[in-house]
Amino acid sequence: MMTEHEKLLAGEPYDYRDPALQTMIVRGKDLLAVINQQPASERRAAALQAFFGKVGQRLVINGVFSAVYGSHISVGDDVFINGNCTFQDSNRITLGDRVIIAPDVKLYCGGHSLDATQRFGVRPDGSRYLVTTTKPITIGNDVWIGGNVTVIGGVHIGNNVVVGAGAVVTKDVPDNTVVGGVPARVIKSLPPLA
């Protein structure tokens, strides 16, 4: 039988109130408190290493950052995350190298059924719980995500991509493109990087 954490990562419906998941959430909040309140210091650097599943070289988080677990997030080299960003990492979030995340960006892995009768499950004791499913988000190398962008679970953003401010990305984005709008669509092509 799968644990709730295994269900979460597999994209299967899971119960977020599972004690093991709640322990992971508390751990993440404790580490985020250090990350968000400490200036550049050895303590903050250690918290960043402990919080993320993988951290590349020269990660910059400029301002307050929010996530649920942290351990599901992998960050490449030379990544810049600006203030007030939220990574709802109920599945894996992967950022490549040289990714720029502007302020107020939201990455949401979790989702719920369109059928209202399927949004809550019932435990053997009769109590109800919110049923959530998840999908990973992958962002390639050399990507700039503009301010106030929302990326939905299951999306893969290719390499050498610019996502225009305010876009809502609901589908995969091909390499070497600029996308924007709600929902995001390709606006123009970019020359491939050498």
Side-chain angles (χ1 to χ4, degrees):
M1 180 175 222
M2 294 174 80
T3 67
E4 295 303 306
H5 188 235
E6 290 167 336
K7 290 178 188 177
L8 173 150
L9 292 175
E12 297 294 325
Y14 70 96
D15 183 353
Y16 75 96
R17 295 186 302 181
D18 174 70
L21 293 179
Q22 289 300 306
T23 298
M24 292 175 67
I25 290 169
V26 169
R27 176 186 176 274
K29 285 181 182 179
D30 290 345
L31 290 167
L32 277 174
V34 174
I35 292 166
N36 287 328
Q37 296 171 8
Q38 293 285 316
S41 67
E42 287 183 25
R43 184 170 182 229
R44 184 174 193 264
L48 285 168
Q49 290 294 324
F51 181 72
F52 290 104
K54 174 188 172 283
V55 180
Q57 297 180 25
R58 297 172 297 279
L59 168 64
V60 174
I61 297 178
N62 185 35
V64 175
F65 174 74
S66 176
V68 181
Y69 300 98
S71 59
H72 300 147
I73 304 170
S74 295
V75 180
D77 294 337
D78 301 307
V79 170
F80 182 91
I81 300 171
N82 220 320
N84 201 37
C85 290
T86 299
F87 290 14
Q88 193 274 332
D89 63 317
S90 55
N91 203 310
R92 291 180 178 92
I93 295 176
T94 304
L95 306 181
D97 297 333
R98 298 169 304 281
V99 173
I100 302 167
I101 308 278
D104 301 310
V105 168
K106 313 298 185 227
L107 306 181
Y108 296 134
C109 291
H112 310 286
S113 176
L114 293 177
D115 181 346
T117 65
Q118 301 297 312
R119 288 188 204 134
F120 285 87
V122 181
R123 290 188 184 82
D125 67 3
S127 64
R128 298 180 70 80
Y129 66 96
L130 178 63
V131 174
T132 303
T133 56
T134 68
K135 295 179 183 174
I137 294 172
T138 306
I139 297 172
N141 299 324
D142 303 297
V143 174
W144 172 22
I145 298 183
N148 201 35
V149 165
T150 300
V151 180
I152 302 302
V155 166
H156 170 82
I157 296 175
N159 298 315
N160 189 31
V161 169
V162 176
V163 180
V168 177
V169 185
T170 61
K171 294 182 181 172
D172 289 354
V173 176
D175 293 349
N176 308 310
T177 55
V178 176
V179 299
V182 180
R185 60 180 175 70
V186 174
I187 296 172
K188 70 184 233 175
S189 296
L190 294 172
L193 295 175

